[in-house]
Amino acid sequence: MVLAPMAGITNAAYRRLCAEQGALRDGCSATASGTTGLYVSEMITSRGLVEGDATTKAMLVFDETEQVRSVQLYGTDPSYVGRATEILCSEYGVAHVDLNFGCPVPKVTRKGGGAALPWKRNLLGRILEQAVAAGERHGVPVTMKTRKGIDEDHLTFLDAGRIAQESGAAAIALHGRTAIQGYSGRADWDSIAELVAHVDIPVLGNGDIWEAADAIRMVEHTGAAGVVVGRGCLGRPWLFRDLAAAFAGPVEPFEPAAHPSSPGLPTLGEVRRVMLRHAELLCRHMGEERGCKEFRKHVSWYLKGFPAGGTLRHSLALVSTLADLDALLAGLDPDEAFPEAELGTPRGRQGSPRRKVALPEGWLDDTDGTGAVAVEDAGETSGG
Ligand SMILES: Cc1cc2nc3c(=O)[nH]c(=O)nc-3n(C[C@H](O)[C@H](O)[C@H](O)COP(=O)(O)O)c2cc1C
């Protein structure tokens, strides 16, 4: 089970929070139960890293408990990506590098990056080869994460899987949407199954896992070697506990004694404790002011569906100290049961399909890309 890289979300604090939750309640770690959790960083740009960009370097922070440092790298230039992978392995002790070929954001695809890049098969291969070669020097596996393609008429995932395999990539993660879909509609799990049948390297399935049961269903439906979970764990880092438990066997109840009607679900009191833990970890990594500011965006995800008044939500959205957060959260009823109507429903980004995918002039004219160089922006941070 993999925590999907999410720009602005999967920083060191959040990765630790999810990993803590991913440890089973009886003290077994997810690994001991046979399921390995991987918690991937926010995307950083290879050019930013190679050029020593301060923002990029500031994002390369790891928690002291983080045993497997997993970083997602964005890049469009084979040389930069190779050098950045080398730096990650030799200077940052990174144990896994994931390459982002799935970002649908116009300012990225317009330059031929993200989900646009796999259209240029040759360029994709050269980037992967450089990254894999750098990783191999340090025994570090390189994976790629991608989408189905640009749109239904320009699918790339099967070729991308073959190229990843030929380049020596350790695995490929597929988000079952095209770039033009953005986050709209439903992820196409059949495409994940198709990719599984097409390549020999492990395929990780991604898209629309809202509950642990969805993860099990996805693996059964697709034959994927693992799952990548993004929006489903926004405001619900305990999804990793549920995932670990579900892959290990029957799901363990969360607070069975206190709430027999809602086995496996946290009460508002439990959610409040997780919120405080999240904020505390953010503050530890970023300082109290920035940490609290970062935490604000998570408040509505945590409280989704719970009764919490408008005034309280408003105050929480302005919180600037841990003490204030604690005091505000004390106003919530700890015995409130989890809003079951929220289960299995989408959260986070959804939106509607784009009218078109912004691409460089003539990008679709050929699929080879020999000699093609997509412009790489050192400050790109928009993610996937
Ligand atoms: C806020 C946000 C930021 C994201 N940032 C990245 C990113 O930096 N790199 C990436 O490969 N995908 C990124 N994604 C995409 C997710 O990794 C994932 O592929 C997508 O959300 C689909 O999975 P889900 O249905 O489990 O959310 C981001 C998604 C969200 C919602």
Side-chain angles (χ1 to χ4, degrees):
M1 57 185 192
V2 182
L3 170 63
M6 286 186 284
I9 309 283
T10 57
N11 50 33
Y14 192 69
R15 297 195 301 272
R16 174 167 176 172
L17 185 74
C18 289
E20 283 177 354
Q21 298 284 322
L24 292 173
R25 264 199 322 148
D26 58 5
C28 282
S29 72
T31 310
S33 75
T35 308
T36 310
L38 186 64
Y39 303 88
V40 188
S41 78
E42 303 174 86
M43 178 191 101
I44 62 150
T45 70
S46 38
R47 183 167 165 199
L49 183 58
V50 170
E51 295 183 348
D53 172 65
T55 316
T56 305
K57 286 167 90 173
M59 288 170 79
L60 278 170
V61 172
F62 302 93
D63 190 85
E64 76 262 16
T65 60
E66 209 161 3
Q67 299 196 343
V68 177
R69 296 182 171 190
S70 167
V71 171
Q72 193 188 52
L73 203 53
Y74 166 83
T76 56
D77 180 315
S79 157
Y80 275 121
V81 176
R83 281 188 284 164
T85 306
E86 174 64 37
I87 294 171
L88 288 176
C89 299
S90 61
E91 295 177 27
Y92 289 89
V94 164
H96 165 232
V97 174
D98 180 53
L99 300 181
N100 179 338
F101 296 114
C103 183
V105 174
K107 70 176 180 177
V108 167
T109 57
R110 187 176 292 126
K111 294 179 207 132
L117 200 133
W119 185 254
K120 300 293 192 192
R121 275 65 168 174
N122 187 286
L123 179 59
L124 175 66
R126 284 186 293 131
I127 294 174
L128 281 162
E129 279 161 20
Q130 294 276 330
V132 169
E136 266 173 3
R137 289 195 285 276
H138 301 271
V140 170
V142 172
T143 58
M144 78 173 277
K145 178 167 177 286
T146 192
R147 287 185 176 236
K148 282 173 65 182
I150 293 169
D151 56 35
E152 287 298 327
D153 295 327
H154 301 91
L155 296 176
T156 52
F157 67 103
L158 293 178
D159 279 355
R162 174 184 52 79
I163 294 164
Q165 179 166 312
E166 287 167 4
S167 308
I172 175 167
L174 179 63
H175 177 188
R177 285 185 173 84
T178 58
I180 204 163
Q181 284 180 283
Y183 291 85
S184 67
R186 285 179 66 172
D188 167 16
W189 290 2
D190 289 345
S191 65
I192 298 169
E194 243 184 287
L195 185 58
V196 170
H198 192 69
V199 295
D200 297 323
I201 56 173
V203 173
L204 304 173
N206 175 229
D208 298 355
I209 290 175
W210 310 112
E211 304 299 335
D214 296 331
I216 303 289
R217 265 197 317 115
M218 179 194 270
V219 168
E220 282 172 2
H221 184 85
T222 64
V227 295
V228 181
V229 184
R231 293 164 298 165
C233 55
L234 294 174
R236 301 190 329 154
W238 55 84
L239 185 53
F240 280 88
R241 181 209 59 221
D242 295 350
L243 288 167
F247 280 118
V251 179
E252 291 253 328
F254 192 83
E255 286 284 323
H259 292 281
S261 64
S262 310
L265 298 172
T267 60
L268 187 49
E270 290 287 350
V271 172
R272 187 193 142 189
R273 275 209 286 281
V274 177
M275 291 173 84
L276 282 170
R277 178 69 178 152
H278 190 172
E280 184 207 326
L281 288 168
L282 282 168
C283 294
R284 209 189 283 177
H285 276 284
M286 301 175 168
E288 189 162 13
E289 195 185 338
R290 232 191 97 211
C292 284
K293 223 169 172 177
E294 272 296 314
F295 182 72
R296 293 174 188 171
K297 69 171 110 162
H298 296 271
V299 168
S300 58
W301 289 321
Y302 279 112
L303 295 183
K304 198 162 181 277
F306 278 114
T311 319
L312 176 62
R313 286 176 191 262
H314 182 72
S315 306
L316 284 167
L318 297 172
V319 75
S320 54
T321 67
L322 281 175
D324 284 354
L325 178 65
D326 197 8
L328 286 168
L329 292 179
L332 296 169
D333 174 5
D335 293 328
E336 187 67 44
F338 192 88
E340 293 185 25
E342 293 299 326
L343 296 178
T345 62
R347 42 183 48 233
R349 275 180 201 174
Q350 287 150 60
S352 28
R354 296 159 206 271
R355 284 218 319 280
K356 67 190 244 300
V357 178
L359 295 169
E361 187 75 27
W363 189 252
L364 296 175
D365 292 351
D366 77 274
T367 58
D368 181 64
T370 303
V373 177
V375 186
E376 188 166 329
D377 189 341
E380 187 53 63
T381 54
S382 23

